[in-house]
Amino acid sequence: MLLALMAGQALAQQAFISPMETPAQHSAQAIRAPLNALARAGERLVAAGQRGHILFSDDGKDWVQAQVPVSSDLTALAFPSTEQGWAVGHEGVVLHSGDGGKTWSKQLDGRQIADLLVKHYGNPANPDDPGAQRLKQDAELFLAQGADKPLLDVWFEDHRNGFVVGAFNLILRTADGGQTWTPWLDRVDNPRAMHLYGLRPAAGSLFMVGEQGLVLKLDAARQRFASLELPYQGTLFGVLGDDNLILVYGLRGNAYRSLDGGASWSRAETGIEAGITGGVIAEDGSVVLTGQTGQLLRSTDRGATFSLVQVDRVVPNFAMAPVVGGAVALAGLGGVRIQNFKQ
């Protein structure tokens, strides 16, 4: 009996194929599965979610499933141009599309990231430096634990320069469209290695948010993300902004805005207590937020106050994107919905 059990376990181990190596299965129900990410590629909408599903639509109604080489759950999308796009997700996968989201190739995964970290931090120039030793230990731990660290957001300034961020202060930068990646763990004021959930440009700089009220601003001269003081210690899921507005949002309906580059912050009146999972600035300039329990909030005073928008269906939303004409698209449970704002 014991030999049979051991043989069965061995066969099961041999039969396991990592999601990083398994292409996403095509399914007519993919558009109805949970979708975690949404982005615009020109006028096209691209959505991504569980089991490597990526779908695209040119009218917001008819959706086509893309060819994806992994079945890892995907968490975020970024399209700096109509054709060039990136997706990230669990197992540390980074995917690239050069045709507006129709087909994808894998650029990076968690195993490769661990190797990069060990190569970058494994032989510090100053072995007596406690910070360098900690980075070395972190890199070795990443390698030992395997590809189990998710990437949680991606942002590209253009078709060459971008960042991916994720759990335990994981951050990498590329300057060649993802052909090569450089670890930036040592360039972030995050000594407790808190998770990094989102990054976006605002007020002429790049901002990043994470656990326990973590807000960071890229110091372009020093090439380092410097921490900012925020009067809130809860987890932040995202950041948005324009030429002078910065708005960060997260747990329990909390959102804070700054109009002075992050030097000072004031609490936005959202009127809800559920976590805020997505936010955009619509084409009409209004700030729109969505919550994990399905609420949709809109501000016409640059994020100072928000009012509830009546929606046709109240379902959890995980991501959103502005749509041509002033509406917004919402992604979450049950697919993608277009929400117009009544005048």
Side-chain angles (χ1 to χ4, degrees):
M1 179 65 74
L2 179 60
L3 290 175
L5 180 60
M6 293 174 62
Q9 290 175 337
L11 288 173
Q13 291 175 353
Q14 292 175 3
F16 174 76
I17 301 177
S18 168
M20 297 183 295
E21 311 296 339
T22 307
Q25 295 293 310
H26 277 255
S27 168
Q29 301 302 313
I31 188 57
R32 296 181 178 85
L35 295 170
N36 304 317
L38 191 63
R40 262 178 58 177
E43 296 188 6
R44 171 176 291 169
L45 284 173
V46 184
Q50 293 184 353
R51 297 183 292 279
H53 290 159
I54 298 181
L55 304 104
F56 60 91
S57 173
D58 291 324
D59 60 9
K61 299 176 182 178
D62 298 316
W63 291 84
V64 178
Q65 190 171 352
Q67 299 178 30
V68 181
V70 302
S71 56
S72 303
D73 290 349
L74 301 175
T75 58
L77 289 161
F79 276 84
S81 69
T82 301
E83 297 296 323
Q84 299 294 321
W86 281 263
V88 298
H90 288 236
E91 287 82 42
V93 298
V94 179
L95 307 176
H96 171 252
S97 173
D99 57 9
K102 293 181 180 179
T103 60
W104 297 79
S105 60
K106 185 175 64 147
Q107 287 188 330
L108 196 64
D109 62 38
R111 294 171 301 197
Q112 295 167 312
I113 289 175
D115 289 339
L116 282 173
L117 296 180
V118 170
K119 181 179 180 180
H120 197 77
Y121 299 116
N123 187 24
N126 183 2
D128 296 327
D129 180 6
Q133 282 299 317
R134 184 174 63 250
L135 287 166
K136 177 182 179 181
Q137 293 169 4
D138 289 345
E140 292 171 347
L141 185 61
F142 269 80
L143 183 65
Q145 292 179 337
D148 67 340
K149 307 296 187 299
L151 291 171
L152 301 171
D153 204 7
V154 53
W155 175 79
F156 270 74
E157 180 181 8
D158 51 38
H159 71 285
R160 295 184 63 82
N161 298 284
F163 289 92
V164 295
V165 301
F168 301 104
N169 195 45
L170 183 57
I171 176 171
L172 301 101
R173 182 183 184 275
T174 181
D176 56 13
Q179 297 304 308
T180 60
W181 294 86
T182 301
W184 263 45
L185 283 69
D186 56 324
R187 295 173 179 264
V188 181
D189 290 345
N190 185 14
R192 290 182 289 170
M194 291 182 285
H195 300 338
L196 304 173
Y197 282 109
L199 75 165
R200 287 294 183 273
S205 189
L206 184 62
F207 290 82
M208 185 160 57
V209 297
E211 290 184 288
Q212 299 182 27
L214 183 67
V215 180
L216 303 127
K217 179 180 181 179
L218 179 62
D219 184 329
R222 298 170 57 213
Q223 288 292 282
R224 182 178 187 83
F225 280 96
S227 63
L228 302 177
E229 291 293 328
L230 187 74
Y232 173 66
Q233 300 302 309
T235 292
L236 298 167
F237 296 130
V239 55
L240 61 84
D242 58 21
D243 290 343
N244 69 338
L245 169 68
I246 311 159
L247 186 82
V248 299
Y249 54 85
L251 286 175
R252 302 182 183 89
N254 281 286
Y256 286 80
R257 72 171 188 151
S258 175
L259 299 176
D260 57 9
S264 63
W265 299 84
S266 59
R267 190 175 188 272
E269 299 299 327
T270 67
I272 66 171
E273 296 184 357
I276 300 172
T277 52
V280 297
I281 296 181
E283 287 192 343
D284 64 2
S286 62
V287 181
V288 187
L289 302 175
T290 187
Q292 63 186 21
T293 53
Q295 298 100 328
L296 189 65
L297 310 171
R298 184 170 182 246
S299 171
T300 57
D301 57 7
R302 300 185 55 72
T305 61
F306 288 82
S307 57
L308 281 171
V309 176
Q310 185 175 356
V311 295
D312 296 331
R313 285 192 301 153
V314 180
V315 296
N317 299 314
F318 306 137
M320 62 192 313
V323 177
V324 175
V328 295
L330 303 167
L333 296 184
V336 179
R337 305 171 302 288
I338 306 299
Q339 176 68 50
N340 292 291
F341 301 110
K342 296 179 181 180
Q343 301 297 324

